Amino acid sequence: MTDNASTVRLSGAAVLPLRTLDPTGPWEDLGWLDEVIGDARVVAIGESAHYNREFFQLRHRLLRYLVERHGFGAYAMETGFVESRLVDDWVRGGAEPLGQTMAHGMTSLMGMWTQMRRHLEWMRRHNATAERPVGFYGIDLPGSAASLLPGLDVVLSFLAQADPEFRPDPGIRETASSYAAESAFSGPAAFASYGQLTPERRDALTANLADLAQRMRGRRLDYVRRTTAEAYERALHALHLTISLDSTVRGMTRGDRSAMFFHRDAALADTVAWVLHREDRIVLAAHNGHVQRWPVSMPGLPPATQMGMHLADRLGADYRVIGTTSGTGHILNTGPDFYTGTLFTEMEAPRPGSLDALMAASHDGPFAADLRRLAPADEALVRTVAQQRAGMGAFYGDQSPLDAYDAIIHLPHVSPADPDPTALAYAPGEVQKPFAQWNGGG
């Protein structure tokens, strides 16, 4: 905290210091969380940027507290819904190697980090002795939001069992395969390949996906009788997400860059609702931009409705949001050299007048602020804030903290998470190479 007496900062009464980010540490400093969450069914924990050690640790620590102190039974995070079935099987005692599970059961590079490994290892240990196990759910589009194949293959496999006489058009999978991405690193190339498809092939793919959805809905009772209700509902939701991704890619190819935000976040909210039909209380982990109850603004685009806004509309007080800010350190690199191994970039100090700057000036160490219980002077101060660092380079988005969040946790310094060697060993070569280049350069 700066010694400049004129610096704008929260009062000492608003600062709730966190003694540690260690997930195994004591919980005496987390009592404020009880008031923030109340009886909410969904508690969202944001992060300012992906793949930081400190954000992984924070979410792990808060999950343990919410599970062991408040009985939460599910952890849902920003990774592929379809693929996450592998992770859920593992945390419930599955026999597959954990490295393989992390590499193939988590998308968008979320499974490539040692801090995530420790998180999953704790879930498995907890589930081995718990009366009620904690489930793991991905909420995101399949194939790192770049490939229809994972979702489509789940649907086709289900139909082969539920409707063995049905012969789907082979062109569905052939077209999806023609622009499939192995990982987040080949996402841009996949979008470019889709753009090279003829309009007729794109339209046929979209029409065939719509036909599959109608077939599954119309034959629900038959399919459930031949399989199970859970298998049917999981396959139908996989198809819903696959259709959402197809619509997103179509929109972006037409020049509608906002499709990625509107379509994807509506699908994320639908997945949380899907999980809520199976679980009483969920800990939800995703980027601030997804969980906040406030539109996200990106350069050159209109404000976009995010998952958190959909969930707040559906759940009301049953949805609570803990946002995050950060001060200095290294965050995800969003420049083109990310794809050649420059995975992280150094942050500048927070911009004056931003939420990040206000939090950074208020306390030297990690701390929380309960925005629902601020003194009048602190509340008035927070109302003057209109921007927050978006975790995407130097960009700051419009923000209204008191509308977006119930509480804020500030981390004064963030650093890259540790790449997990066992997960990387099972990853595609296009993932291994840039990680090796980054390590070699660091």
Side-chain angles (χ1 to χ4, degrees):
M1 183 170 60
T2 180
D3 292 330
N4 186 348
S6 66
T7 298
V8 176
R9 61 170 67 96
L10 296 172
S11 71
V15 172
L16 305 167
L18 299 182
R19 297 178 183 174
T20 182
L21 296 180
D22 182 355
T24 67
W27 289 341
E28 288 82 358
D29 58 339
L30 295 180
W32 57 270
L33 193 54
D34 302 343
E35 295 289 340
V36 170
I37 67 170
D39 296 324
R41 294 192 63 197
V42 179
V43 173
I45 305 169
E47 61 180 2
S48 299
H50 295 319
Y51 320 139
N52 282 116
R53 174 188 292 112
E54 293 77 11
F55 287 125
F56 278 120
Q57 292 173 325
L58 175 67
R59 295 190 309 194
H60 184 175
R61 187 176 188 227
L62 296 187
L63 174 68
R64 292 188 65 167
Y65 183 85
L66 292 172
V67 168
E68 297 183 9
R69 185 65 63 87
H70 292 277
F72 279 70
Y75 182 66
M77 68 172 287
E78 189 181 341
T79 189
F81 167 82
V82 169
E83 295 87 347
S84 70
R85 183 68 179 271
L86 298 175
V87 182
D88 187 59
D89 287 344
W90 190 86
V91 300
R92 295 177 190 268
E96 293 297 323
L98 178 53
Q100 179 177 328
T101 300
M102 293 167 66
H104 300 298
M106 304 186 75
T107 63
S108 303
L109 308 179
M110 292 295 181
M112 294 294 105
W113 313 97
T114 295
Q115 285 72 30
M116 190 70 236
R117 163 186 282 276
R118 292 170 182 158
H119 194 155
L120 298 178
E121 288 172 338
W122 172 79
M123 291 183 70
R124 184 176 171 112
R125 289 195 302 271
H126 171 85
N127 288 345
T129 59
E131 183 176 339
R132 262 187 85 188
V134 178
F136 182 96
Y137 298 89
I139 61 169
D140 213 343
L141 302 178
S144 298
S147 175
L148 272 61
L149 280 184
L152 184 59
D153 283 346
V154 165
V155 174
L156 295 178
S157 177
F158 173 82
L159 288 172
Q161 180 182 5
D163 198 350
E165 296 182 358
F166 173 57
R167 296 292 181 268
D169 184 344
I172 303 175
R173 197 176 189 286
E174 291 173 5
T175 300
S177 298
S178 70
Y179 68 94
E182 269 197 302
S183 76
F185 283 102
S186 53
F191 286 128
S193 296
Y194 178 88
Q196 294 173 1
L197 294 175
T198 64
E200 291 76 16
R201 288 190 72 185
R202 296 181 211 160
D203 292 346
L205 175 61
T206 299
N208 278 320
L209 290 172
D211 287 345
L212 287 180
Q214 287 303 109
R215 185 178 188 88
M216 287 193 65
R217 293 190 184 99
R219 291 164 174 77
R220 181 181 69 84
L221 295 179
D222 291 339
Y223 288 178
V224 168
R225 185 171 60 251
R226 294 170 188 168
T227 59
T228 65
E230 177 66 15
Y232 170 81
E233 294 294 340
R234 186 173 287 273
L236 183 64
H237 193 65
L239 181 53
H240 168 62
L241 295 177
T242 303
I243 290 172
S244 295
L245 178 56
D246 176 65
S247 178
T248 297
V249 178
R250 283 178 68 91
M252 293 179 66
T253 302
R254 292 194 303 266
D256 180 10
R257 294 191 295 133
S258 64
M260 176 58 80
F261 300 98
F262 282 99
H263 297 180
R264 181 185 176 199
D265 275 78
L268 296 178
D270 289 343
T271 305
V272 175
W274 188 92
V275 177
L276 274 175
H277 284 297
R278 292 151 179 82
E279 304 284 356
D280 291 333
R281 305 186 82 182
I282 301 170
V283 178
L284 175 61
H287 193 281
N288 285 332
H290 293 303
V291 301
Q292 65 186 41
R293 296 184 301 255
W294 188 257
V296 164
S297 301
M298 297 300 293
L301 297 176
T305 303
Q306 298 298 284
M307 171 183 67
M309 299 173 68
H310 289 290
L311 293 177
D313 179 64
R314 298 180 188 186
L315 300 174
D318 269 335
Y319 181 63
R320 301 290 170 85
V321 188
I322 302 169
T324 59
T325 56
S326 55
T328 60
H330 288 78
I331 58 170
L332 174 66
N333 176 26
T334 58
D337 53 341
F338 169 83
Y339 297 93
T340 56
T342 307
L343 304 185
F344 293 87
T345 186
E346 187 172 2
M347 289 192 295
E348 296 181 354
R351 177 184 296 176
S354 67
L355 179 61
D356 307 81
L358 172 62
M359 298 293 283
S362 298
H363 188 65
D364 288 334
F367 75 99
D370 184 348
L371 301 184
R372 299 160 62 93
R373 290 169 176 79
L374 293 175
D378 288 317
E379 179 177 337
L381 179 57
V382 174
R383 288 193 183 281
T384 67
V385 172
Q387 288 190 325
Q388 182 179 2
R389 182 154 45 196
M392 302 180 68
F395 176 69
Y396 283 72
D398 294 340
Q399 186 58 279
S400 176
L402 295 176
D403 295 305
Y405 306 122
D406 296 289
I408 294 284
I409 294 178
H410 179 72
L411 303 181
H413 186 82
V414 294
S415 55
D418 300 309
D420 190 82
T422 55
L424 284 168
Y426 286 98
E430 68 177 35
V431 174
Q432 294 176 351
K433 183 177 180 180
F435 268 79
Q437 290 171 324
W438 174 57
N439 284 336

